[in-house]
Amino acid sequence: MENKTFKQLGINDNIIKALSECGIKEPTDIQSQSIPIIKSGKDIIGKSKTGSGKTAAFGIPLLDSLKHSSRVQALILAPTRELALQISGELEKFGKHTELQFATVFGGVSMHHQIRKIRTADIVIGTPGRILDHLNQKTLKLSGLTHFILDEADQMVDMGFIRDIERILKYTPKKKQMILFGATLSGEIGLIREKYMNRPIVAESEVHVTEDYLEQYYYNVQKHKKFSLLVHLLKTEKANQIIVFCSNIRTVEVVSKNLKSQGIKAGMIHGKMNQNKRIRSIKEFNNGNQSILVASPVAARGLDIKDVSHIFNYDLSQDPQEYVHRVGRTARAGESGKAFTLLSARDHPAFGQILQNYDLNIQELQIDNFPIVKFEVGESRQRGNGRFRGHRSRSRSGPRRGRVRSRSR
Ligand code: ADP
Ligand code: MG
């Protein structure tokens, strides 16, 4: 509507120039709400859907208000390494014409290089565990901190980072600006708000920048035909970049392996893969070398994966919110996208929850004839590991007729 321009919001020309070099011309709704609040120095809670531009919503006013100095002025905490990398990537681009220095800090890699970067950094972006390591080792000092930012705050709480966040806060000066962003903010986030924030202003935008461009469909399919339907759709849909979501790690592995057996090249990403492998998967996918990525939702949450044209939900997780996060991977920032959900009996309870909780326009598609292909479940590797419960009973069952009861998961 009458959204102000970045210039009218008082953003410096050097940042506007960098933004326009990234194709960002006008603020999204959450950005026009957040920028004035953050510039005024008040605490803020920002809530808006995936893909609405939250990184820039806090990043732009942050870059705008900082000047290069010899101390760390801003700390941005993110739940995963990939997300930390993504945030620093965006901020480095937006801050290209400033003097500001960045350090990205996460576990699983050597601390040495990070320590060097931290020495000159104005803004440190990192995951809670490794940030704490640096604080404990005194290789990171936050006594001069002016901005404390939590991105994907809800996910951090879900992942059990709240204690770490509190420990990190102990290292920071009392007087600082608290900035908290997420797609959904509930539960234990309240604790941060009560204990550590000073009358925060809530910026909330229900508008998905791209909602109109997202088409959502579902198929009802018997469980033993699901993989065949997936293969059929992958072969027949005109798609560039596709993410296939599976609700757990084991399924991610099985599906990507079977796709390969069908001659369909697919990368994968899940939470049990090591750091380098995950980064490589994302890179291969983002640079277009790999056009299909089979992913577990947590591993992909919050990640800005460019130009995803199609989302396939191979199955659904119990958490209805998860669906919104998943389909939010496509139709981002003006691009159009399609989301297909493959439902067998066991997905129906979760699907019912999704429809009940959200006002979504998802249309049913019917399909009768598609080739049935081989689907091998193979060895269940991690016997006795609770994570994979429910799969063991499925392994080796192969294509099997008859009722599969929907199980509560
Ligand atoms: P969120 O954190 O809300 O899920 P992101 O910050 O990851 O969203 O942004 C999603 C995508 O939209 C990114 O590729 C980002 O560069 C782009 N983007 C951000 N702001 C704008 C804007 N004002 N105009 C166009 N694209 C934007
Ligand atoms: Mg984000």
Side-chain angles (χ1 to χ4, degrees), residues 140-157:
L140 170 62
K141 294 213 172 67
L142 297 178
S143 52
L145 198 82
T146 53
H147 296 76
F148 188 97
I149 296 132
L150 293 177
D151 192 17
E152 300 283 347
D154 47 340
Q155 193 186 348
M156 284 212 266
V157 169

Side-chain angles (χ1 to χ4, degrees), residues 54-55 83 86 151-152 302 332:
K54 290 189 287 295
T55 313
L83 204 52
Q86 187 179 297
D151 192 17
E152 300 283 347
R332 297 174 74 118

Side-chain angles (χ1 to χ4, degrees), residues 72-305:
V72 175
Q73 303 163 69
L75 177 68
I76 304 174
L77 293 181
T80 62
R81 299 137 182 201
E82 289 80 3
L83 204 52
L85 279 169
Q86 187 179 297
I87 295 168
S88 55
E90 289 244 299
L91 296 193
E92 276 174 28
K93 277 193 285 172
F94 302 160
K96 192 171 142 203
H97 304 299
T98 71
E99 310 269 271
L100 294 168
Q101 299 283 315
F102 305 86
T104 318
V105 161
F106 46 77
V109 292
S110 118
M111 291 180 81
H112 185 71
H113 175 69
Q114 297 176 348
I115 292 170
R116 259 196 311 138
K117 293 290 268 187
I118 291 171
R119 262 184 222 138
T120 55
D122 301 287
I123 301 177
V124 172
I125 303 111
T127 50
R130 182 52 69 93
I131 293 283
L132 263 179
D133 292 344
H134 282 288
L135 287 167
N136 290 333
Q137 270 189 218
K138 299 195 167 44
T139 44
L140 170 62
K141 294 213 172 67
L142 297 178
S143 52
L145 198 82
T146 53
H147 296 76
F148 188 97
I149 296 132
L150 293 177
D151 192 17
E152 300 283 347
D154 47 340
Q155 193 186 348
M156 284 212 266
V157 169
D158 286 352
M159 290 171 74
F161 282 135
I162 193 127
R163 297 286 157 256
D164 282 353
I165 295 169
E166 291 202 87
R167 283 187 202 112
I168 294 167
L169 277 162
K170 290 211 170 71
Y171 286 90
T172 65
K174 245 209 147 60
K175 190 171 151 21
K176 62 183 171 299
Q177 187 176 13
M178 291 286 291
I179 298 172
L180 196 147
F181 274 79
T184 50
L185 297 169
S186 52
E188 275 191 282
I189 289 294
L191 180 123
I192 303 276
R193 181 190 185 138
E194 299 303 313
K195 261 173 96 171
Y196 302 100
M197 297 183 83
N198 179 23
R199 290 196 276 162
I201 299 183
V202 177
E204 192 167 350
S205 166
E206 284 305 320
V207 190
H208 192 299
V209 262
T210 55
E211 197 147 68
D212 298 345
Y213 302 104
L214 174 65
E215 296 170 34
Q216 300 171 78
Y217 304 102
Y218 70 93
Y219 287 98
N220 276 310
V221 59
Q222 285 164 293
K223 187 182 151 236
H224 67 279
K225 290 185 177 170
K226 212 179 215 189
F227 181 73
S228 300
L229 177 57
L230 176 70
V231 169
H232 176 71
L233 294 173
L234 289 176
K235 286 184 171 166
T236 51
E237 268 294 316
K238 282 204 177 13
N240 336 315
Q241 295 294 100
I242 302 164
I243 302 180
V244 179
F245 281 113
C246 305
S247 62
N248 63 49
I249 293 169
R250 176 83 185 127
T251 316
V252 169
E253 291 176 333
V254 170
V255 168
S256 60
K257 203 167 141 221
N258 278 277
L259 286 176
K260 283 192 190 96
S261 310
Q262 293 302 319
I264 297 174
K265 248 183 86 194
M268 78 177 175
I269 182 167
H270 62 61
K272 277 275 161 73
M273 279 161 65
N274 76 34
Q275 160 72 353
N276 289 335
K277 280 192 175 158
R278 283 202 262 173
I279 291 175
R280 210 179 311 139
S281 286
I282 294 289
K283 214 184 239 165
E284 288 284 288
F285 189 73
N286 275 346
N287 68 21
N289 276 346
Q290 197 76 270
S291 66
I292 302 175
L293 183 67
V294 186
S296 69
V298 172
R301 193 123 146 223
L303 289 179
D304 183 34
I305 300 172

